[in-house]
Amino acid sequence: QVQLVESGGGLVQPGGSRRLSCAAPGISISDYVMSWYRQAPGRQREVIAVISMAGTSTNYADSVKGRFTISRDNAKNTVYLQLNNLKTEDTGRYYCGTAGNWGQGTQVTVSS
C-alpha cells in the first residue's frame, strides 16, 4: 500500500523557492520522527532534514542549513520542506520518510 506521497517538485530558477509536501495516507505521522532525503544525479541518497514527532526539534545537513525548513502539521498528517535560495546543486529527487520507509519522491530541478 502507498504510505507516503511527495509532491511540489518542478523546474526552478537559481535563487528561487519551492515548497514540497509529503502526504501520508498509509500511516499516522504523529507516531514518527520524519525526515527528508535527497538523491542528486550520480550521488547516493542522503538525509537533509529531520523533525521530531512533536515538531519541536529539527536538524539539517550543512549543505541546506539556513535555506531549507522542515515542518509538520500532524493534524493534517502532512510534512513539508520549504526550499529557499535554491542553487543548481540542489537538483535531485526529494523523498520523505521514516526510519526504513520512504515514498516515491518528487523531482526538483534547479536550472536557468
Side-chain angles (χ1 to χ4, degrees):
Q1 66 173 342
V2 176
Q3 294 191 319
L4 300 166
V5 182
E6 301 92 338
S7 63
L11 179 62
V12 192
Q13 288 186 271
S17 298
R18 200 83 180 182
R19 190 177 77 156
L20 309 183
S21 297
C22 176
I27 62 170
S28 177
I29 67 162
S30 62
D31 295 331
Y32 300 91
V33 171
M34 297 295 294
S35 301
W36 281 95
Y37 304 81
R38 179 174 67 195
Q39 187 167 26
R43 308 278 285 276
Q44 290 191 307
R45 180 157 42 205
E46 62 174 341
V47 61
I48 56 171
V50 182
I51 188 166
S52 62
M53 286 181 282
T56 54
S57 180
T58 58
N59 284 285
Y60 299 92
D62 288 343
S63 60
V64 308
K65 191 172 296 183
R67 300 187 298 117
F68 292 6
T69 303
I70 186 172
S71 61
R72 67 193 299 161
D73 188 336
N74 287 346
K76 294 182 178 180
N77 211 39
T78 304
V79 185
Y80 305 95
L81 186 67
Q82 179 68 42
L83 317 177
N84 292 330
N85 192 26
L86 283 161
K87 307 176 185 298
T88 56
E89 54 262 42
D90 293 319
T91 293
R93 195 161 188 88
Y94 288 71
Y95 305 82
C96 73
T98 65
N101 294 282
W102 54 86
Q104 305 306 305
T106 185
Q107 180 69 30
V108 174
T109 301
V110 185
S111 176
S112 60

